[in-house]
Amino acid sequence: MASPNSPATAAMNSPGSTSQAPVEKPSAPPVNILPSQLAQTYSYAHPVLLLALGASRFNALVENPVQELLKDLPWLALLQLFYVLLCLPPAGTTVSVSDGPSGNDTKSARSRKPGYRRKNSGKNDWAGIWAKLMPAFLSMSLTFLLATPIIAVLLVLFGAPLTTHNYETVLCAAHMALLSASALIYAHGVEASVWKEVWGIARPADAVWGSALGTGLGAWFGAIPIPLDWDRPWQAFPITILTGAYIGYALGSLLSRTSFIYGKRIQFAPEQEEEEEKTKTN
């Protein structure tokens, strides 16, 4: 029997022992773009392409928002589906060949023996394709079934008309959901700890989280011109909100991959003070 002063007893009674403080599950790491040259190139071209398409259809959006939003929705869904399949690892997998934001690293290739050649069977190829298609279709389904209604409710809570412009609100929410949620669901699935960080704005910066956060912030700033008394046709709801969301998506996707932002988190001063007070108390 161990004595009260034995090292084992002291370890069990220590403040940092695992018996008293449960070990928290580590946060999911930042999502890296797949290391292939095609994925790397298109990951930068994708947000620029969305901006170019949005700019080319802006006049039509001003003339008839409902018709244009409905017409563009399938194309946006296809572009987002192509983006996640080509550039992102599906939920449950990681890009082990990358240690940085770009995903360029030839460590695994250099470690192979001379003359090494990977053998792929047809069965393995189909399994790999299915492993990407399944989470892709799941992400699209959850985007329309869950993310779109949630964003529509948030738009109303933040000032969108409740009794009028219902089609505009739902279509705007669908566009914003595809921009912000489709890649998040594809890369992280429905893992509770990740979505807790998403709603708490505590995810480490990467292309997926940066584009989602940029979409929300862009829509927020895009609402500023609506109440201004300029009498311009493009001030009608939800034109400026959606324009801001697209611009925010592009900026968030590109800036979050830079070396001085990638992997970092947004820090809130009150939380830091609380942690320091807890540390002093313990």
Side-chain angles (χ1 to χ4, degrees):
M1 183 176 179
S3 63
N5 297 326
S6 63
T9 304
M12 293 176 60
N13 295 330
S14 62
S17 64
T18 56
S19 61
Q20 294 184 1
V23 178
E24 294 184 359
K25 185 178 180 180
S27 172
V31 177
N32 291 316
I33 301 297
L34 294 177
S36 68
Q37 187 62 44
L38 180 60
Q40 290 291 316
T41 302
Y42 185 73
S43 65
Y44 286 106
H46 180 71
V48 179
L49 176 61
L50 290 183
L51 282 182
L53 291 177
S56 65
R57 303 303 303 169
F58 184 78
N59 290 333
L61 179 63
V62 173
E63 292 177 3
N64 194 330
V66 173
Q67 180 180 344
E68 188 61 30
L69 289 175
L70 190 60
K71 184 189 301 183
D72 294 342
L73 190 61
W75 295 107
L76 176 61
L78 286 175
L79 286 173
Q80 288 297 93
L81 182 64
F82 181 73
Y83 168 69
V84 298
L85 286 172
L86 179 64
C87 300
L88 300 179
T93 63
T94 57
V95 183
S96 60
V97 296
S98 171
D99 294 324
S102 63
N104 291 324
D105 192 349
T106 57
K107 181 179 179 180
S108 60
R110 293 174 181 173
S111 62
R112 296 173 184 169
K113 296 180 181 180
Y116 173 85
R117 184 177 182 181
R118 180 180 296 176
K119 297 180 180 180
N120 292 325
S121 63
K123 184 177 180 180
N124 290 336
D125 290 342
W126 278 110
I129 294 173
W130 180 251
K132 293 178 71 69
L133 285 177
M134 185 62 180
F137 287 121
L138 178 63
S139 68
M140 290 298 163
S141 300
L142 292 179
T143 294
F144 284 110
L145 294 176
L146 293 179
T148 298
I150 291 174
I151 294 178
V153 171
L154 290 176
L155 287 174
V156 173
L157 292 177
F158 280 98
L162 178 60
T163 58
T164 61
H165 298 77
N166 298 125
Y167 292 115
E168 289 88 340
T169 300
V170 173
L171 289 171
C172 178
H175 278 253
M176 291 180 61
L178 283 171
L179 292 173
S180 60
S182 57
L184 277 173
I185 298 173
Y186 179 82
H188 298 296
V190 291
E191 188 175 349
S193 60
V194 172
W195 287 97
K196 182 180 179 181
E197 291 179 338
V198 169
W199 288 109
I201 317 181
R203 283 292 303 155
D206 55 36
V208 175
W209 170 233
S211 59
L213 183 61
T215 300
L217 291 176
W220 176 280
F221 286 108
I224 294 176
I226 294 179
L228 300 179
D229 190 17
W230 293 344
D231 294 328
R232 297 292 188 272
W234 52 263
Q235 286 180 264
F237 173 81
I239 297 172
T240 59
I241 292 177
L242 202 57
T243 301
Y246 271 81
I247 295 175
Y249 173 90
L251 291 178
S253 177
L254 296 174
L255 292 177
S256 60
R257 297 178 61 186
T258 58
S259 58
F260 57 89
I261 294 180
Y262 176 82
K264 295 181 173 59
R265 302 171 187 266
I266 298 176
Q267 299 291 338
F268 296 97
E271 291 184 0
Q272 292 179 345
E273 293 175 0
E274 290 179 2
E275 291 179 358
E276 291 176 358
E277 290 178 358
K278 291 180 180 179
T279 304
K280 293 178 180 178
T281 304
N282 295 332

